[in-house]
Protein backbone atom coordinates (compact mmCIF):
# COMPACT_ATOMS: atom_id res chain seq x y z
CA UNK A 1 0.00 0.00 0.00
CA UNK A 2 1.28 3.46 -0.94
CA UNK A 3 2.15 5.70 1.96
CA UNK A 4 2.06 9.50 1.75
CA UNK A 5 3.86 12.18 3.74
CA UNK A 6 0.44 13.68 4.55
CA UNK A 7 -3.09 12.51 3.98
CA UNK A 8 -4.21 13.02 0.38
CA UNK A 9 -7.37 15.09 0.02
CA UNK A 10 -10.65 13.21 -0.17
CA UNK A 11 -11.99 12.69 -3.71
CA UNK A 12 -14.21 15.53 -4.93
CA UNK A 13 -17.77 14.42 -5.56
CA UNK A 14 -21.39 15.42 -6.03
CA UNK A 15 -24.58 13.79 -4.79
CA UNK A 16 -26.73 11.95 -7.34
CA UNK A 17 -30.50 12.32 -7.20
CA UNK A 18 -32.16 9.13 -6.00
CA UNK A 19 -28.93 7.31 -5.26
CA UNK A 20 -26.78 6.78 -2.18
CA UNK A 21 -23.51 6.65 -4.11
CA UNK A 22 -21.82 9.91 -5.00
CA UNK A 23 -20.35 10.91 -8.35
CA UNK A 24 -16.56 11.47 -8.31
CA UNK A 25 -15.48 14.62 -10.13
CA UNK A 26 -12.62 14.74 -12.60
CA UNK A 27 -12.10 18.06 -14.48
CA UNK A 28 -14.13 21.27 -14.77
CA UNK A 29 -14.40 22.72 -18.28
CA UNK A 30 -16.29 25.95 -18.98
CA UNK A 31 -17.53 27.24 -22.32
CA UNK A 32 -17.13 30.98 -22.94
CA UNK A 33 -19.69 33.22 -24.68
CA UNK A 34 -22.31 30.64 -25.56
CA UNK A 35 -25.49 32.75 -25.59
CA UNK A 36 -25.67 35.64 -28.07
CA UNK A 37 -27.23 38.12 -25.65
CA UNK A 38 -24.53 37.46 -23.05
CA UNK A 39 -21.74 37.74 -25.64
CA UNK A 40 -23.22 41.11 -26.61
CA UNK A 41 -23.44 42.35 -23.01
CA UNK A 42 -19.73 41.45 -22.66
CA UNK A 43 -18.97 43.55 -25.74
CA UNK A 44 -17.85 40.50 -27.76
CA UNK A 45 -20.66 39.35 -30.07
CA UNK A 46 -20.28 35.91 -31.63
CA UNK A 47 -20.72 35.03 -35.30
CA UNK A 48 -21.04 31.26 -35.28
CA UNK A 49 -20.27 31.11 -39.01
CA UNK A 50 -16.77 32.46 -38.49
CA UNK A 51 -15.82 31.31 -34.99
CA UNK A 52 -15.41 28.24 -32.83
CA UNK A 53 -16.27 27.72 -29.18
CA UNK A 54 -13.55 28.43 -26.64
CA UNK A 55 -12.96 27.10 -23.17
CA UNK A 56 -11.37 27.82 -19.86
CA UNK A 57 -10.97 25.54 -16.89
CA UNK A 58 -11.47 25.73 -13.16
CA UNK A 59 -9.58 23.67 -10.63
CA UNK A 60 -11.83 20.81 -9.50
CA UNK A 61 -11.14 22.08 -5.97
CA UNK A 62 -13.29 25.13 -6.85
CA UNK A 63 -16.34 22.85 -6.56
CA UNK A 64 -18.89 23.88 -3.90
CA UNK A 65 -21.88 21.87 -2.72
CA UNK A 66 -25.46 23.07 -3.07
CA UNK A 67 -26.69 25.08 -0.09
CA UNK A 68 -23.24 26.28 0.92
CA UNK A 69 -22.21 29.74 2.02
CA UNK A 70 -19.29 30.80 -0.19
CA UNK A 71 -16.91 33.45 1.11
CA UNK A 72 -16.63 36.66 -0.90
CA UNK A 73 -13.26 36.22 -2.64
CA UNK A 74 -10.20 38.45 -2.22
CA UNK A 75 -8.88 40.88 -4.87
CA UNK A 76 -12.21 41.78 -6.45
CA UNK A 77 -14.91 44.38 -6.06
CA UNK A 78 -17.08 42.98 -8.86
CA UNK A 79 -17.91 39.34 -8.10
CA UNK A 80 -20.46 38.08 -10.65
CA UNK A 81 -22.92 35.21 -10.86
CA UNK A 82 -23.32 33.19 -14.05
CA UNK A 83 -26.10 30.57 -14.04
CA UNK A 84 -25.25 27.55 -16.18
CA UNK A 85 -26.39 24.08 -17.14
CA UNK A 86 -23.68 21.56 -16.29
CA UNK A 87 -23.17 18.44 -18.40
CA UNK A 88 -21.74 15.44 -16.55
CA UNK A 89 -19.70 13.12 -18.75
CA UNK A 90 -20.25 9.44 -17.96
CA UNK A 91 -18.26 7.64 -20.63
CA UNK A 92 -14.76 8.31 -21.95
CA UNK A 93 -14.39 9.58 -25.49
CA UNK A 94 -12.05 11.38 -27.92
CA UNK A 95 -12.97 12.99 -31.25
CA UNK A 96 -16.63 12.26 -30.55
CA UNK A 97 -19.02 12.87 -33.44
CA UNK A 98 -21.93 15.17 -32.59
CA UNK A 99 -24.43 12.46 -33.51
CA UNK A 100 -22.84 10.17 -30.90
CA UNK A 101 -22.36 12.85 -28.21
CA UNK A 102 -25.42 11.77 -26.21
CA UNK A 103 -23.78 8.37 -25.57
CA UNK A 104 -21.19 10.11 -23.37
CA UNK A 105 -23.68 11.97 -21.16
CA UNK A 106 -24.34 10.67 -17.64
CA UNK A 107 -26.63 13.49 -16.61
CA UNK A 108 -26.93 17.16 -15.75
CA UNK A 109 -26.73 19.57 -12.84
CA UNK A 110 -27.36 23.22 -12.11
CA UNK A 111 -24.14 25.17 -11.66
CA UNK A 112 -22.76 28.65 -11.09
CA UNK A 113 -19.63 29.99 -12.81
CA UNK A 114 -18.73 32.63 -10.23
CA UNK A 115 -16.35 35.19 -11.70
CA UNK A 116 -14.11 38.07 -10.63
CA UNK A 117 -15.43 40.17 -13.52
CA UNK A 118 -13.07 43.07 -12.91
CA UNK A 119 -10.00 40.85 -13.20
CA UNK A 120 -11.39 38.76 -16.06
CA UNK A 121 -11.92 41.87 -18.19
CA UNK A 122 -8.52 43.36 -17.34
CA UNK A 123 -6.75 40.16 -18.35
CA UNK A 124 -8.98 39.66 -21.38
CA UNK A 125 -8.14 43.12 -22.65
CA UNK A 126 -4.42 42.60 -21.95
CA UNK A 127 -4.46 39.26 -23.77
CA UNK A 128 -3.49 37.45 -20.57
CA UNK A 129 -4.93 34.22 -19.11
CA UNK A 130 -8.27 34.47 -17.34
CA UNK A 131 -7.28 32.25 -14.40
CA UNK A 132 -7.41 34.88 -11.66
CA UNK A 133 -10.82 36.00 -12.95
CA UNK A 134 -12.30 32.54 -13.37
CA UNK A 135 -10.36 29.92 -11.40
CA UNK A 136 -11.45 31.47 -8.13
CA UNK A 137 -11.55 29.42 -4.93
CA UNK A 138 -15.13 28.25 -4.25
CA UNK A 139 -16.25 29.56 -7.63
CA UNK A 140 -17.90 26.42 -9.00
CA UNK A 141 -21.04 25.68 -6.97
CA UNK A 142 -22.78 22.65 -8.44
CA UNK A 143 -26.00 20.99 -7.27
CA UNK A 144 -26.97 17.32 -7.30
CA UNK A 145 -26.42 15.36 -10.50
CA UNK A 146 -29.62 14.26 -12.21
CA UNK A 147 -29.04 11.04 -14.17
CA UNK A 148 -30.24 11.38 -17.78
CA UNK A 149 -28.01 8.90 -19.59
CA UNK A 150 -28.02 9.36 -23.33
CA UNK A 151 -30.12 12.55 -23.28
CA UNK A 152 -28.83 15.63 -25.13
CA UNK A 153 -30.98 18.45 -23.72
CA UNK A 154 -32.03 20.92 -26.40
CA UNK A 155 -34.44 23.23 -24.61
CA UNK A 156 -35.57 24.27 -21.15
CA UNK A 157 -35.97 27.48 -19.17
CA UNK A 158 -32.84 28.61 -17.31
CA UNK A 159 -33.16 31.24 -14.61
CA UNK A 160 -31.30 32.93 -11.76
CA UNK A 161 -32.62 35.04 -8.90
CA UNK A 162 -30.76 37.11 -6.33
CA UNK A 163 -32.68 37.70 -3.09
CA UNK A 164 -35.83 36.60 -4.94
CA UNK A 165 -35.40 39.04 -7.82
CA UNK A 166 -34.99 37.55 -11.31
CA UNK A 167 -31.67 38.52 -12.93
CA UNK A 168 -31.25 35.93 -15.66
CA UNK A 169 -33.98 34.20 -17.69
CA UNK A 170 -33.41 32.40 -20.96
CA UNK A 171 -33.70 29.00 -22.60
CA UNK A 172 -31.23 26.26 -23.43
CA UNK A 173 -32.46 26.47 -27.02
CA UNK A 174 -30.51 29.75 -27.24
CA UNK A 175 -27.13 28.09 -26.73
CA UNK A 176 -24.90 29.11 -29.65
CA UNK A 177 -23.13 25.73 -29.55
CA UNK A 178 -25.57 23.14 -28.28
CA UNK A 179 -24.72 20.22 -25.99
CA UNK A 180 -23.84 17.86 -28.85
CA UNK A 181 -21.62 20.44 -30.54
CA UNK A 182 -19.84 21.28 -27.27
CA UNK A 183 -18.99 17.64 -26.52
CA UNK A 184 -17.86 17.02 -30.10
CA UNK A 185 -15.66 20.12 -30.19
CA UNK A 186 -14.17 19.79 -26.68
CA UNK A 187 -13.31 16.14 -27.39
CA UNK A 188 -11.05 17.27 -30.24
CA UNK A 189 -8.75 18.75 -27.59
CA UNK A 190 -9.25 16.50 -24.56
CA UNK A 191 -9.81 12.81 -24.03
CA UNK A 192 -13.04 13.22 -22.08
CA UNK A 193 -13.35 11.10 -18.96
CA UNK A 194 -16.18 10.04 -16.65
CA UNK A 195 -16.65 12.74 -14.04
CA UNK A 196 -15.62 15.59 -16.33
CA UNK A 197 -18.02 18.52 -15.94
CA UNK A 198 -18.83 20.99 -18.71
CA UNK A 199 -20.28 24.34 -17.61
CA UNK A 200 -22.13 25.19 -20.81
CA UNK A 201 -22.21 29.00 -20.68
CA UNK A 202 -24.42 31.66 -19.17
CA UNK A 203 -27.27 33.71 -20.61
CA UNK A 204 -27.50 37.49 -20.36
CA UNK A 205 -28.17 39.37 -17.15
CA UNK A 206 -24.96 38.62 -15.23
CA UNK A 207 -24.28 40.93 -12.34
CA UNK A 208 -22.50 41.50 -9.06
CA UNK A 209 -23.27 40.11 -5.63
CA UNK A 210 -22.30 41.26 -2.15
CA UNK A 211 -21.98 39.41 1.16
CA UNK A 212 -25.39 38.36 2.42
CA UNK A 213 -26.91 37.84 -1.02
CA UNK A 214 -28.82 34.63 -1.64
CA UNK A 215 -28.50 33.17 -5.14
CA UNK A 216 -31.00 30.65 -6.50
CA UNK A 217 -30.81 29.20 -9.98
CA UNK A 218 -32.86 26.65 -11.85
CA UNK A 219 -32.98 24.76 -15.12
CA UNK A 220 -36.29 23.33 -16.27
CA UNK A 221 -36.24 19.54 -16.12
CA UNK A 222 -32.98 19.44 -14.14
CA UNK A 223 -33.40 21.16 -10.79
CA UNK A 224 -32.11 24.07 -8.82
CA UNK A 225 -29.12 25.41 -6.90
CA UNK A 226 -28.94 27.71 -3.88
CA UNK A 227 -25.95 29.44 -2.36
CA UNK A 228 -25.37 32.33 0.01
CA UNK A 229 -22.50 34.79 -0.40
CA UNK A 230 -20.65 35.10 2.89
CA UNK A 231 -18.16 37.56 4.31
CA UNK A 232 -14.60 37.59 2.99
CA UNK A 233 -12.62 34.87 4.69
MN1 LIG B 1 -19.58 31.07 -17.64
Amino acid sequence: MTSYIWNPPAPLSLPIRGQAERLPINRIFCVGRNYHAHAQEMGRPVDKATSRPFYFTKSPQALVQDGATVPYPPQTSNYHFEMELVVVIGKAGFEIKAEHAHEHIYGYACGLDMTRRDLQLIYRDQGRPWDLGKDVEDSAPCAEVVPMPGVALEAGHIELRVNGQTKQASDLNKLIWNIREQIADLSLFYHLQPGDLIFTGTPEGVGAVVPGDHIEGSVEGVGSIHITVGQAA
Side-chain angles (χ1 to χ4, degrees):
M1 192 176 153
T2 306
S3 63
Y4 299 95
I5 61 166
W6 51 68
N7 291 329
L12 298 158
S13 66
L14 289 170
I16 304 172
R17 183 180 294 171
Q19 213 168 301
E21 292 86 0
R22 292 176 65 89
L23 190 138
I25 297 306
N26 194 38
R27 292 169 291 188
I28 300 180
F29 299 106
C30 303
V31 183
R33 295 176 206 142
N34 205 16
Y35 289 80
H36 284 297
H38 172 63
Q40 281 155 9
E41 77 182 346
M42 298 304 293
R44 293 288 193 277
V46 173
D47 179 357
K48 189 177 181 182
T50 59
S51 56
R52 292 182 65 177
F54 71 94
Y55 310 93
F56 55 91
T57 58
K58 292 188 186 241
S59 305
Q61 292 77 11
L63 194 72
V64 170
Q65 304 293 313
D66 190 24
T69 296
V70 300
Y72 194 89
Q75 299 295 321
T76 184
S77 55
N78 197 20
Y79 196 45
H80 272 208
F81 52 79
E82 295 191 0
M83 179 61 202
E84 309 203 2
L85 173 70
V86 179
V87 178
V88 182
I89 297 296
K91 180 186 156 195
F94 178 61
E95 297 181 346
I96 299 165
K97 300 285 179 234
E99 60 266 32
H100 292 295
H102 61 281
E103 299 166 12
H104 298 266
I105 296 172
Y106 177 86
Y108 296 91
C110 289
L112 294 166
D113 167 15
M114 300 300 293
T115 301
R116 286 184 182 110
R117 189 73 70 203
D118 37 8
L119 297 192
Q120 182 209 1
L121 297 185
I122 288 170
Y123 298 132
R124 182 191 74 179
D125 295 343
Q126 293 177 343
R128 291 179 178 175
W130 287 11
D131 297 48
L132 298 181
K134 285 292 195 179
D135 187 22
V136 180
E137 291 176 340
D138 300 310
S139 68
C142 192
E144 65 176 357
V145 175
V146 182
M148 286 189 221
V151 176
L153 285 178
E154 291 178 352
H157 186 69
I158 180 168
E159 186 175 309
L160 179 141
R161 296 171 297 282
V162 177
N163 304 326
Q165 188 181 355
T166 301
K167 301 287 189 182
Q168 295 185 280
S170 187
D171 196 286
L172 301 177
N173 65 17
K174 294 184 177 170
L175 283 166
I176 299 173
W177 286 280
N178 66 28
I179 304 297
R180 288 181 181 279
E181 292 168 325
Q182 291 177 41
I183 291 172
D185 188 78
L186 185 62
S187 76
L188 300 175
F189 302 91
Y190 293 94
H191 294 74
L192 296 182
Q193 299 293 329
D196 284 342
L197 305 181
I198 306 172
F199 282 62
T200 58
T202 196
E204 69 276 18
V206 299
V209 289
V210 295
D213 280 347
H214 184 66
I215 304 174
E216 311 164 77
S218 59
V219 176
E220 182 183 359
V222 176
S224 62
I225 184 166
H226 309 256
I227 67 161
T228 301
V229 181
Q231 296 297 323

